[in-house]
Structures are given as structure tokens and as C-alpha cells.
Amino acid sequence: MTGGGAAVSVNTVLAELFAAAAHGCRDRSPLTQRLLTDAAADLERGGVTARIMAGSERDREGTVPGLRFAGAVHRLVLEGRAPGLAKHYPTAGGRPDLPALWEDAVPALTEHADLLRQRVQATVVQTNEPGRSAPLYGGLVVAAQEAAKVAGRHVPFCVRLLEVGASGGLNLRPHHVGYQLPDRVLGDPDSPLVLDPGWTGRPPADLDHRLRVVGRAGCDLHPVDVSTEDGRLHLSSFVWADQVDRWNRLRAALDLAATDPVRVERSPGPEWLAKQLARAERDVLTVVWHSVVWQYASPADRAMGRAVLADAAAKATPTTPLALLVFEPRRSDDPGEVYRFELLLKLWPAGLSLNLGHGAGHGTPFTWDVTPWE
């Protein structure tokens, strides 16, 4: 009896995580919200979802088991393995009928339960959202110009971009993306990927200066090779299937990646970063960047990463400056939202520490609102 009670208990906890993930989708993805809400109830009943999630019952909140489940189901649809469910998925040409969604999902979940369990356990959430390039681009322009002021230069620094948790590396080419503003296009207007950044306000910088990127590198514990069909399917599966604009944005970003490949190295972040920062390039601003990965890092890796960065920051000079630019969720004081996604910049040796603004988790829209980073 004790063992049975324990099983019910862990499924209840997991169901709560599914419900929390469903809540996070509200007003943004009714399809994903309904799927996860019904799956949470099915977990409580010990239904097919419990079979799929067997072995993942004690996963921590930061691994977002609900979104891993939703991604595995979406991939099933994209692979053509669940035609009865595909009729609800706009990414497969369908149209959601939410009241009938779970009824049509159960046969596919039952038939492919073992495959879904394998994928849920083997994968991590990797949205690699290309929309985050929009705030990144503005932040890089600010960093390059502020570093130049400290060095007494009239021309902004060119940038070496180092991304920790780069996934498929889709945000390692911000200078090759177009950013459509009402009065101009920043970046590359001929890019396969042209974003509407949805900016309120503008970055505190001269946007007439073109961003120059002279080096790019990235690492990830689970890098995605976007030159392969498997890699493209993996990233596509984590797009909420009723967010067609995001889907199209990802397809354009994958097209851009095919013309401008960047290798993402398989490595823990702190070790990789220590190697990259061991050398400083004169007259180049080195920018360490990450977006929506902090929650997935262990406390030990976070501490090691901070130590590596602090060591490099202590060695930065006006001609070999260093910046940290991150777009991450932070707990909000607003009672209407639990987290707010903020763009944060630190610059050495300038000692600059700014909160540049806040936006949606996928990068757009974004409000530029510069305050001290405290």
C-alpha cells in the first residue's frame, strides 16, 4: 500500500508541474494549454500519460517535464505518425478543435507510448527562439558603443560573441538578421529572416552604426545540428503548434543557418567559457551571452560560471573589453506576472551594469527601459 501511495504522490506532483506549464501557455497557446491540462488530469487518474512519464516523476521543475511531453507529442505529429491528432495542429495543416483534442490524442499516445517515454527522458527543452535575436541585437549595439566611449574611440568596437547554452546556434548570427522598424531596417535587409522586433522605445545607442561581428562560438550540453532533418525536427517540435508566426520565424532562421553555418560545441558551459576567455582579442569587445538557459543550469555550474566570468572581468582593459549580455526571466514585483524577461548588460572595465528593458519570453515584443541592474 505504501508503494502505491508513493506512486500516486509523485504523479500528483508531476501533474502539478504539467498544470503549471499549462498555465504558462494561457492566452498564448490554447492548444498546448488544453493538451497539458488534460494530460495533468490523466496523470492524476494514472492514465496513458503516467505510462509515458514513467521514470520522470521526480524531475525538477526547471526541466519543465510538461513542455518536454508536449514537444514529444508535437514531433510525433510532424513525423506523420499521428494523423488523427494532426488535424488539430496548424503546423501540420490542421485546425484545433479543443473539446475533441484529448479524445483524439489518446489513441496516438497509447500507440506510441514507449517512443514518447524514450523521447521525454532523452530530451531537454530547446526552443532556440530566433526572436530573441531582436533584443540581443540592440543590446550588442549598446555594448559596442559604450565600450568605445570608455576607450576614447569614435568608432564602436567590433564584437566576438560567445553563447552559452546555444542549442542549435540560431542566435549566433544577429548581424545577418533584418529588423524591420517603422522607419528603417536594421541589420541585413536581404536576410531570409526579417523580424518585426515590436520595440517600444529604442536602444540607447546610435543605430546608424552597423554592428560588426568578427567572431562567433557557442556551446551546449546537448547541441542541435540544424543541418540535419533530426535537428530541425527537434527544434520545430518545441514551437507551440498554434503559434504559426513563431513556426514561420523558425523556418526562416533554419534557412539562414543553412547559408551561414556556425558550429556549437558539446561542452559544459563553465569549462568551455574558461577556454574561450583565456585569450583576449585587442580592439574587440568579447560578449558572453545566454538566453533562457539559467533555469536549466545546476547550482554548481552557475557558481563556476560566475567565477570564470569574474576572473576574465578582472583582466579586461579598455582595449580588450568584456561584456555579459543576458535575456533571462526574473521574478517580477507585478502581481499580474510571476516572471519578467529582462535584458541585462554588464561591461568591464567600464563598471557599467544596466537593465536595458523587458519583453516577451520569445524576444518580441520588447520595451527599452534603461535602469540600473541591481
Side-chain angles (χ1 to χ4, degrees):
M1 293 295 292
T2 303
V8 171
S9 175
V10 292
N11 277 344
T12 298
V13 172
L14 192 58
E16 290 173 354
L17 295 182
F18 269 54
H23 182 72
C25 302
R26 79 188 198 285
D27 303 327
R28 294 184 290 168
S29 176
L31 175 67
T32 309
Q33 181 183 19
R34 185 60 177 260
L35 176 70
L36 292 179
T37 298
D38 289 344
D42 187 60
L43 269 169
E44 291 270 29
R45 295 190 299 267
V48 65
T49 311
R51 177 181 166 193
I52 292 168
M53 298 305 296
S56 300
E57 299 94 341
R58 299 185 185 277
D59 287 1
R60 62 186 178 88
E61 180 181 3
T63 67
V64 204
L67 295 187
R68 285 161 36 221
F69 170 85
V73 174
H74 189 191
R75 177 159 180 163
L76 206 65
V77 169
L78 295 175
E79 291 173 333
R81 296 175 186 260
L85 187 55
K87 65 185 180 184
H88 297 281
Y89 278 67
T91 51
R95 185 173 182 177
D97 178 4
L98 298 183
L101 175 64
W102 187 252
E103 181 181 353
D104 289 332
V106 169
L109 300 182
T110 302
E111 179 182 356
H112 300 287
D114 292 340
L115 175 62
L116 290 168
R117 181 174 64 252
Q118 177 187 350
R119 287 181 173 173
V120 165
Q121 292 182 351
T123 194
V124 295
V125 176
Q126 290 180 302
T127 53
N128 204 195
E129 174 55 54
R132 293 174 189 145
S133 283
L136 167 61
Y137 181 89
L140 288 175
V141 171
V142 173
Q145 293 184 23
E146 291 295 332
K149 291 177 185 177
V150 173
R153 296 164 52 111
H154 296 293
V155 178
F157 275 95
C158 51
V159 167
R160 175 170 66 127
L161 185 59
L162 306 176
E163 185 175 13
V164 178
S167 188
L170 297 185
N171 286 318
L172 276 169
R173 45 188 69 82
H175 55 314
H176 291 321
V177 176
Y179 306 93
Q180 180 68 63
L181 301 183
D183 57 338
R184 69 177 94 178
V185 179
L186 302 177
D188 183 358
D190 298 319
S191 173
L193 176 60
V194 177
L195 298 174
D196 175 2
W199 285 353
T200 297
R202 297 286 174 92
D206 184 352
L207 297 180
D208 289 331
H209 284 290
R210 191 178 184 90
L211 177 67
R212 296 175 298 152
V213 178
V214 296
R216 298 169 292 171
C219 78
D220 200 280
L221 287 173
H222 307 278
V224 180
D225 184 353
V226 295
S227 70
T228 68
E229 180 64 15
D230 180 73
R232 291 189 291 270
L233 273 171
H234 178 71
L235 292 183
S236 299
S237 70
F238 286 110
V239 174
W240 293 335
D242 48 356
Q243 293 192 326
V244 178
D245 287 345
R246 280 187 65 212
W247 174 261
N248 291 334
R249 191 160 64 198
L250 177 63
R251 309 319 290 175
L254 291 170
D255 290 343
L256 174 59
T259 68
D260 179 35
V262 181
R263 178 173 176 266
V264 178
E265 184 177 342
R266 184 182 299 275
S267 174
E271 295 176 13
W272 177 85
L273 196 58
K275 288 191 296 184
Q276 295 292 327
L277 295 178
R279 61 180 179 86
E281 294 189 15
R282 187 176 178 83
D283 296 323
V284 172
L285 170 64
T286 297
V287 179
V288 176
W289 154 260
H290 58 80
S291 64
V292 197
V293 299
W294 202 237
Q295 71 192 61
Y296 304 111
S298 69
D301 277 352
R302 293 181 189 181
M304 289 173 61
R306 289 190 183 103
V308 168
L309 192 64
D311 181 66
K315 299 173 183 175
T317 72
T319 56
T320 59
L322 174 68
L324 173 67
L325 183 65
V326 303
F327 184 65
E328 294 285 353
R330 304 178 81 198
R331 289 202 175 272
S332 173
D333 295 330
D334 187 336
E337 59 182 359
V338 179
Y339 292 99
R340 169 183 278 194
F341 291 80
E342 298 179 340
L343 184 66
L344 307 170
L345 171 65
K346 285 185 181 291
L347 190 63
W348 298 277
L352 196 67
S353 186
L354 297 175
N355 183 326
L356 294 175
H358 55 89
H362 299 134
T364 62
F366 185 85
T367 298
W368 295 95
D369 181 22
V370 181
T371 59
W373 176 5
E374 299 174 347

